[in-house]
Amino acid sequence: MRALSVQAPWGLDEIKVVEAPDPVPGHGEVLVRMRAVSLNYRDLLMVGGMYGRMPATSGAITPFSDGCGIVEAVGPGVTRVQPGDRVATMFFQNWISGPPTATKLMSSLGSPIPGAGRELGVFSQDGLSKVPAFLSDQQVATLPCAALTAWRALFEDADLRPGDTVVLQGTGGVSIFGLQFAHAAGLRTLITSSSDEKLARAKAMGADHVTNYRSEPEWSQAVRAATGGTGADLIIEVGGGGTIEQSMKAIRIGGHIAIVGVVAGLGSGFNTAALIGNSARLQGLSVGSRDMFEAMCRLIELHRIAPVVDKVFPWTDARAAFAAMQGGEHFGKIVLEF
């Protein structure tokens, strides 16, 4: 089989297609022929050597956590799936249910476990889940990280009710899934972007309010105006240090800020007095469990929610796909197809 591989000195130019022996499933393991994988910002950090949980300098990684594939064979003791089943790879292979623990969070695909960027992969049966039949392979590949992150922020960690207001930053994968899920649940949504064209697309998908943060850098004022001065109930914070100050100004008293990314940088701008003053909750969030994933898929099935796949590349052209992500060209998700 062939697989993607990257190692020090890291960077897009170091992504290579390598030959490797066909894997064989052992006890409790499943052999999957991959059909598609999707890109996350984490993958870009990993390929660039900037991700926190990286191997030693000499170690190579097989990237990508989010994949869709067909079960080719199963090892002894496998009961969850059978050959011919279409499955998604779970971001955390050992997080089945319950709250996160250090052990569960050390089972992520890409690093430390070899990822889904290969023609054939062996995974634990516990790290796979069947998926809605109406979705394409490309769409399924977008679910394990971006979709589940949005799901957990909305419905697992925040105490929301229909009519509450959710702020979504940008038009990448997590934010567009957040828009789709929130709209299905009867939540009011406000989405930000630097592109009027992307804001128009978000509006057409059901966004209640849109704000261009380039022309209106104090976008917290737009959130206050849209909520009659109260502020948002939930902000899905994907920017990190570059946007947290505005989020603190936009959140309501007792509101919830879910920090899921750092795409706008690691700079501070954090005002602890503001956090105390409005009694807001600030929570870091890293994807979710398999139980959460399967609950999310039931909603997707019920409402026929179609993930937004904006760009598709051959899996051997991963460099071009990452370059598109770096350029911020996408609306929704970028996918590699086998």
Side-chain angles (χ1 to χ4, degrees), residues 9-33:
W10 311 107
L12 299 190
D13 290 340
E14 298 302 316
I15 301 174
K16 295 178 173 61
V17 178
V18 299
E19 297 283 341
D22 288 358
V24 177
H27 190 277
E29 293 181 333
V30 179
L31 177 66
V32 178
R33 182 167 293 278

Side-chain angles (χ1 to χ4, degrees), residues 63-77:
F64 300 113
S65 58
D66 294 18
C68 172
I70 304 296
V71 175
E72 282 220 343
V74 298

Side-chain angles (χ1 to χ4, degrees), residues 47 50 54 72 80 83 103 125 140 146 149 166 174 187 194 205 213 233 236 242 259 273 282 287 311 320 338:
V47 167
M50 297 179 288
M54 297 294 286
E72 282 220 343
R80 280 182 52 79
T103 300
Q125 67 168 334
V140 168
T149 296
V166 177
V174 174
L187 299 167
S194 62
M205 291 178 62
Y213 63 78
D233 299 282
I236 300 183
I259 301 181
L282 203 62
V287 200
K311 298 180 185 298
F338 287 82

Side-chain angles (χ1 to χ4, degrees), residues 12-261:
L12 299 190
D13 290 340
E14 298 302 316
I15 301 174
K16 295 178 173 61
V17 178
V18 299
E19 297 283 341
D22 288 358
V24 177
H27 190 277
E29 293 181 333
V30 179
L31 177 66
V32 178
R33 182 167 293 278
M34 302 308 302
R35 303 286 290 271
V37 294
S38 72
L39 276 66
N40 296 300
Y41 188 69
R42 168 191 187 250
D43 299 309
L44 184 60
L45 293 176
M46 290 175 64
V47 167
M50 297 179 288
Y51 188 62
R53 298 171 184 166
M54 297 294 286
T57 304
S58 60
I61 62 169
T62 301
F64 300 113
S65 58
D66 294 18
C68 172
I70 304 296
V71 175
E72 282 220 343
V74 298
V78 171
T79 58
R80 280 182 52 79
V81 297
Q82 59 186 2
D85 285 345
R86 191 170 63 143
V87 295
T89 56
M90 297 296 94
F91 185 98
F92 292 115
Q93 291 284 286
N94 296 338
W95 188 2
I96 311 304
S97 61
T101 65
T103 300
K104 294 173 183 177
L105 297 184
M106 284 303 296
S107 66
S108 55
L109 287 180
S111 179
I113 298 174
R118 43 187 164 156
E119 291 177 317
L120 289 169
V122 164
F123 305 94
S124 166
Q125 67 168 334
D126 291 331
L128 299 170
S129 181
K130 296 178 186 178
V131 291
F134 79 96
L135 297 179
S136 70
D137 295 337
Q138 297 172 7
Q139 291 170 328
V140 168
T142 68
L143 300 179
C145 179
L148 187 53
T149 296
W151 169 271
R152 179 180 164 193
L154 287 163
F155 306 120
E156 300 286 344
D157 295 342
D159 184 21
L160 298 177
R161 298 289 186 272
D164 284 352
T165 299
V166 177
V167 172
L168 305 153
Q169 296 177 351
T171 54
V174 174
S175 295
I176 294 302
F177 274 119
L179 172 61
Q180 292 175 293
F181 294 159
H183 185 64
L187 299 167
R188 180 167 54 177
T189 52
L190 187 148
I191 195 162
T192 68
S193 174
S194 62
S195 165
D196 288 337
E197 179 185 358
K198 291 180 178 180
L199 289 175
R201 291 181 65 181
K203 190 78 171 176
M205 291 178 62
D208 297 292
H209 306 276
V210 297
T211 298
N212 187 315
Y213 63 78
R214 184 155 293 163
S215 58
E216 192 173 353
E218 292 287 325
W219 53 261
S220 58
Q221 296 177 8
V223 177
R224 291 285 174 182
T227 57
T230 302
D233 299 282
L234 170 68
I235 298 174
I236 300 183
E237 170 65 60
V238 303
T243 54
I244 188 64
E245 182 179 4
Q246 283 298 301
S247 291
M248 293 296 297
K249 293 179 179 180
I251 197 70
R252 69 163 172 83
I253 293 175
H256 188 109
I257 301 175
I259 301 181
V260 305

